[in-house]
Amino acid sequence: MAKAIKTIRKQTVTDEEKRRQDLEEIETALLNNKDAILESLHILHHMNERGVLALLRGLFGQGDKVMDIMVKKADTPETANTLKNLCS
């Protein structure tokens, strides 16, 4: 007959083992999503060539100022009329 368990030992994972597990998890995710990742990189490449990424970087860098301008522009009768026409 089996002996009763009297003590429970917590399994410890070393930093190296944790890192290896994390890398395997990332590798699996990359392989499972290969097509989507490659297509995303292709899109990013074209956005970079056309200056879209630089534009976005600038917009995010000046986020509060840009948001303030957008809100002020959106809060005009012309914008409201345009939105009504688009939804009609």
Side-chain angles (χ1 to χ4, degrees):
M1 211 171 189
K3 294 182 180 179
I5 298 173
K6 296 180 182 178
T7 58
I8 298 175
R9 285 186 241 149
K10 184 178 179 180
Q11 290 183 341
T12 56
V13 178
T14 65
D15 289 341
E16 184 178 320
E17 289 172 340
K18 176 66 175 145
R19 182 175 169 81
R20 185 185 51 76
Q21 289 172 352
D22 289 345
L23 286 172
E24 284 178 11
E25 184 179 353
I26 291 169
E27 181 181 338
T28 300
L30 287 170
L31 290 172
N32 290 339
N33 296 289
K34 175 187 165 193
D35 293 335
I37 292 168
L38 290 175
E39 187 63 30
S40 298
L41 289 173
H42 186 73
I43 291 168
L44 282 172
H45 175 73
H46 285 295
M47 290 173 71
N48 189 45
E49 281 183 338
R50 304 214 185 319
V52 174
L53 295 181
L55 174 69
L56 291 174
R57 190 175 337 116
L59 286 174
F60 289 132
Q62 300 295 319
D64 292 339
K65 291 178 185 176
V66 172
M67 184 61 75
D68 184 50
I69 292 168
M70 289 176 65
V71 168
K72 286 179 181 174
K73 272 298 188 191
D75 193 25
T76 62
E78 294 84 12
T79 304
N81 289 335
T82 302
L83 290 173
K84 286 178 187 176
N85 290 336
L86 287 174
C87 294
S88 298

